[in-house]
Amino acid sequence: KVISISGHLHLGGLRTALYNYLFAKSHNGKFILRIEDTDQSRLIAGAVDKLERDLQWIGLTPDESPTLGGNYGPYKQSERLSLYREQVKSILETEAAYYCFCTDHRLNLLRRETLRAGQVPRYDNKCRHLSKAEVRERLAKGDQYCIRFKLSSNEETFEDLVYGKISYNIGQNEGDPVIMKSDGYPTYHLANVVDDHFMDISHVLRGVEWQISTTKHILLYRAFGWKPPLYAHLPLILNADGTKLSKRQGDITIENFYKEGIFPEALLNFVTDAGGGFIKDIEPAKPRIYTLQELTKQFELSRIKPSSCRLSQDKLPEFNSLVIRQKLTEEEGSIVLIQEVKDLVSRTYKDRLESQRLLLDDDHIMSVLLWSQDRINKLADLVDSNFAFLWIIPSQNTLQNISSSNIGVLEDVKSCLSGQLESEFHREDLKKLLKNFAVEKHLSFSELMKLLRSVVSGLKEGPGVAEMMEILGQMSTLARLDHAVTTLKRLHADN
């Protein structure tokens, strides 16, 4: 199965690519990436390499592509021009296609006139009626031309594997379409029909916006004397408010989701959750992440819902949180998360790496991940300014303004906390313990909290002191108290 893509990959293109991948793999087929680059005016530098990287990241690795090669190459349409010209020549000879010499000026006038009359613009098929002698004369003069395909005036019917029987009389609604442009490049209609035939494509899965063109493509197959593939059109993806998803929305590109810290597994489940097509649709709703392998086994074309599907954006963070929780249950997944957090923290606080210690040992990161798994939607939440204390150990500069009279207080707090059971090291228990400590030592509770906040986090704001201690855990909290006491004794001894 081929997925043909041009430009940057976005959610709509991802859904098409994913369903093609699942269909191919569930039928022991191959997933082939073909690049549509026949519109030279829309080419984006580096887009092809980026597209392959996006597919690789999401897990949809092609079996054949421009980079990988394969038995059906070339895989860029711009490198298949001789094939298209050869095929066009054959239907020119059978008079299923014809030369069109209409200038842009004439076509623009025709368009304006039809719009003024309140009609849908369409070509009037003028050049269809040129005699062979007229065509030869125009070609001999070197007049610029394109090649158009003769549409039938009969109603055509085909079976859409998602929408059922579709009937449409394209000749009554459209003019003869251009299949070869004046620059020698084919249009989408010709290139895809020719490529699908020579690549032995059995099924075409594409967006429903192409459904109206399918009659045109079937007529092209008939003109070439080829058997058309089976067609399945995928319903529109809509935003939650019912507006059409558009590639002009910069936030729906795969690159953006990657930069936002969304896991590929979350994105796959987000897309499949809306459109149907899986046996899991009939199971009781339960929050879980399906792997690509599971989705492949459960995919059934007949289960795709023909109605437009709405993407609930609030579900994506939920799926991403589920991925984090699932990875934490797996040894390999945990290792990946720990490394990603290390990289994330190092990048976020790179300016402090030399002046301050970062707490980045594996045990601490794992402890933070386990504590936060029900509280965060993405790993980037862990480097929010309120959570800086998780990673930054208060520096000497932070502690130097603390009076020497507080050294004994900190030692007593450390002794008090050391006597707590680890199972009692929770916010409410710690808050009660510290309040009792302040009463017993005749200390102001607010002043004690201010002191402990400086020692534990080095921050002026953030979560409550008891909550920070709970997050850090007993060992890290005691270590920070010990670090503060040692640092303060040295500072005041020097003074």
Side-chain angles (χ1 to χ4, degrees), residues 6 135 145 186 227 262 307 324 337 358 384 386 482 492:
S6 59
V135 171
Y145 65 85
K227 180 182 177 181
I262 300 299
S307 55
I324 293 174
L337 290 181
L358 294 182
D384 180 271
N386 285 334
D482 189 57
H492 290 292

Side-chain angles (χ1 to χ4, degrees), residues 38 81-82 84-85 145-146 179-187:
T38 57
L81 299 182
S82 59
Y84 306 134
R85 290 166 186 160
Y145 65 85
C146 66
I179 56 173
M180 186 70 79
K181 295 173 289 187
S182 58
D183 63 2
Y185 280 79
T187 60

Side-chain angles (χ1 to χ4, degrees), residues 60-346:
L60 307 182
T61 306
D63 296 299
E64 301 176 22
S65 71
T67 300
L68 297 171
N71 297 328
Y72 292 96
Y75 294 93
K76 291 182 180 179
Q77 290 184 334
S78 60
E79 297 174 3
R80 301 171 66 86
L81 299 182
S82 59
L83 175 62
Y84 306 134
R85 290 166 186 160
E86 182 182 340
Q87 300 312 310
V88 164
K89 183 180 178 183
S90 71
I91 56 174
L92 281 170
E93 291 171 353
T94 60
E95 298 185 2
Y98 61 90
Y99 293 96
C100 174
F101 300 95
C102 291
T103 62
D104 289 341
H105 178 68
R106 179 182 185 274
L107 295 174
N108 287 332
L109 285 175
L110 182 63
R111 177 181 175 81
R112 285 203 292 269
E113 287 173 7
T114 53
L115 286 173
R116 194 179 299 120
Q119 300 172 350
V120 177
R122 54 181 287 183
Y123 180 57
D124 60 2
N125 299 348
K126 175 185 176 182
C127 290
R128 182 196 271 223
H129 308 293
L130 293 175
S131 67
K132 291 182 180 179
E134 288 176 303
V135 171
R136 283 196 298 270
E137 182 183 345
R138 299 289 295 270
L139 291 174
K141 286 166 58 180
D143 288 354
Q144 191 175 67
Y145 65 85
C146 66
I147 296 173
R148 293 182 183 268
F149 175 65
K150 291 181 180 178
L151 293 177
S152 165
S153 58
N154 300 321
E155 182 175 272
E156 297 290 336
T157 300
F158 71 95
E159 189 71 22
D160 190 308
L161 298 178
V162 173
Y163 287 85
K165 187 175 288 186
I166 302 294
S167 297
Y168 184 58
N169 190 326
I170 196 166
Q172 281 188 356
N173 295 281
E174 299 181 26
D176 292 338
V178 175
I179 56 173
M180 186 70 79
K181 295 173 289 187
S182 58
D183 63 2
Y185 280 79
T187 60
Y188 171 87
H189 308 295
L190 175 70
N192 280 270
V193 165
V194 171
D195 287 342
D196 284 351
H197 171 72
F198 283 97
M199 288 182 170
D200 292 333
I201 301 303
S202 60
H203 293 70
V204 172
L205 277 66
R206 59 189 180 190
V208 71
E209 63 270 21
W210 290 106
Q211 191 181 68
I212 199 168
S213 297
T214 303
T215 302
K216 191 182 304 179
H217 300 160
I218 290 173
L219 290 174
L220 272 166
Y221 274 101
R222 190 177 299 161
F224 284 120
W226 302 334
K227 180 182 177 181
L230 299 177
Y231 290 91
H233 290 90
L234 306 175
L236 285 175
I237 298 181
L238 305 176
N239 292 304
D241 60 3
T243 57
K244 186 178 178 183
L245 201 68
S246 169
K247 62 176 69 177
R248 292 179 179 84
Q249 294 172 232
D251 59 347
I252 65 167
T253 63
I254 303 309
E255 179 183 30
N256 182 71
F257 291 116
Y258 170 77
K259 288 180 177 178
E260 285 293 310
I262 300 299
F263 288 99
E265 302 95 325
L267 202 52
L268 290 176
N269 280 262
F270 177 57
V271 170
T272 58
D273 180 68
F278 303 89
I279 297 173
K280 70 182 176 74
D281 297 337
I282 62 175
E283 295 179 356
K286 50 184 178 181
R288 63 157 294 188
I289 292 294
Y290 291 89
T291 65
L292 193 55
Q293 291 72 27
E294 289 174 323
L295 291 172
T296 300
K297 289 178 181 177
Q298 296 179 351
F299 182 73
E300 287 186 6
L301 199 58
S302 60
R303 290 187 179 275
I304 296 178
K305 305 165 189 174
S307 55
S308 297
C309 49
R310 297 194 182 198
L311 289 174
S312 300
Q313 293 293 338
D314 57 337
K315 282 193 173 183
L316 183 54
E318 293 175 11
F319 280 123
N320 212 53
S321 180
L322 280 173
V323 173
I324 293 174
R325 276 179 266 170
Q326 182 172 300
K327 286 183 180 292
L328 285 172
T329 66
E330 307 161 352
E331 183 178 356
E332 186 176 339
S334 297
I335 293 171
V336 169
L337 290 181
I338 288 171
Q339 187 57 52
E340 288 197 24
V341 170
K342 279 185 182 179
D343 295 341
L344 187 62
V345 173
S346 297

